Amino acid sequence: MSAPYQANAVLVGRKDTMNYVLAAIRLFTEGASEVVIKARGRNICKAVDAAERVKATLKDVAVRDVKIYSEEVEDDQGRKRRVSAIEIVLARSQGESS
Amino acid sequence: MSAPYQANAVLVGRKDTMNYVLAAIRLFTEGASEVVIKARGRNICKAVDAAERVKATLKDVAVRDVKIYSEEVEDDQGRKRRVSAIEIVLARSQGESS
């Protein structure tokens, strides 16, 4: 598990994909050189979708890294359950091909 | 877009996750050193889940690479639509830390 707070991270939840696309674009336009989009379980597809839309909108942004892993979460009844998660690192690609 | 046929690929569709987990495990036990799990759109979460389950079952298998990208597909009415996709490369990790 990662630190509870991470700068320039967008945690994808139940809202519409566009919310997360705009959040990531805002971070980039505010000067971030790297933005991490994270999601768990069913929201993983939404995270991939959001990353692809950010890439299509900001032409100098590319996917630097994608990690998949498992986390243990507790449900309402306190039972532990394994859940898949994803982290997509988007980065400005200045000077990549000169 | 990739070639229409790829050896050692598991294309994740509408079936239960376990079908794809077993398909990948079968490929590894038949001697494959690398298996690619692919999915589009809503099936992306299922692909990540399947990869994590294969990893948990076959202890010498690790994620070598994850790629996300966009594809254009035609719907029933012949309209073109962008869809997100994922490719997860699982590989036997012999000799990695020795």
Side-chain angles (χ1 to χ4, degrees):
Chain A
M1 260 180 239
S2 46
Y5 177 78
Q6 186 175 10
N8 299 336
V10 174
L11 187 59
V12 174
R14 292 178 195 190
K15 291 186 204 161
D16 217 61
T17 307
M18 255 332 145
N19 289 277
Y20 309 109
V21 175
L22 293 176
I25 291 177
R26 199 177 313 122
L27 287 168
F28 274 119
T29 55
E30 282 171 6
S33 60
E34 206 173 277
V35 172
V36 184
I37 298 181
K38 297 169 142 200
R40 279 178 185 165
R42 256 175 296 179
N43 294 322
I44 287 175
C45 335
K46 223 188 266 181
V48 173
D49 231 32
E52 285 298 307
R53 277 167 198 263
V54 172
K55 238 173 62 183
T57 310
L58 303 177
K59 293 297 181 190
D60 61 338
V61 166
V63 176
R64 175 166 297 166
D65 193 24
V66 184
K67 277 197 198 78
I68 62 171
Y69 53 99
S70 295
E71 281 189 350
E72 229 178 36
V73 293
E74 260 184 38
D75 64 13
D76 307 341
Q77 279 86 43
R79 282 177 303 217
K80 280 180 182 171
R81 206 163 57 82
R82 190 200 63 78
V83 67
S84 299
I86 199 166
E87 268 191 35
I88 304 166
V89 182
L90 293 173
R92 290 207 182 272
S93 54
Q94 302 127 312
E96 223 175 42
S97 56
S98 84
Chain B
M1 256 178 241
S2 45
Y5 177 79
Q6 187 176 9
N8 299 335
V10 174
L11 186 59
V12 174
R14 292 177 195 193
K15 291 186 204 161
D16 217 61
T17 307
M18 255 330 146
N19 289 276
Y20 308 109
V21 175
L22 293 176
I25 290 177
R26 200 178 312 123
L27 288 168
F28 275 120
T29 54
E30 282 171 5
S33 59
E34 205 173 277
V35 172
V36 184
I37 299 181
K38 298 168 142 202
R40 279 178 185 165
R42 257 176 294 181
N43 294 323
I44 288 175
C45 335
K46 223 188 266 180
V48 173
D49 230 31
E52 286 298 306
R53 278 168 197 263
V54 173
K55 237 173 63 183
T57 310
L58 303 177
K59 293 296 181 192
D60 61 338
V61 166
V63 176
R64 175 165 298 167
D65 193 23
V66 184
K67 276 196 198 79
I68 63 171
Y69 53 98
S70 294
E71 282 189 349
E72 229 177 37
V73 293
E74 259 184 38
D75 63 12
D76 307 341
Q77 278 86 46
R79 281 177 304 218
K80 280 181 182 169
R81 207 164 57 81
R82 190 199 64 77
V83 66
S84 299
I86 198 166
E87 269 191 36
I88 304 166
V89 182
L90 293 173
R92 290 207 182 272
S93 54
Q94 300 127 312
E96 222 176 42
S97 60
S98 73

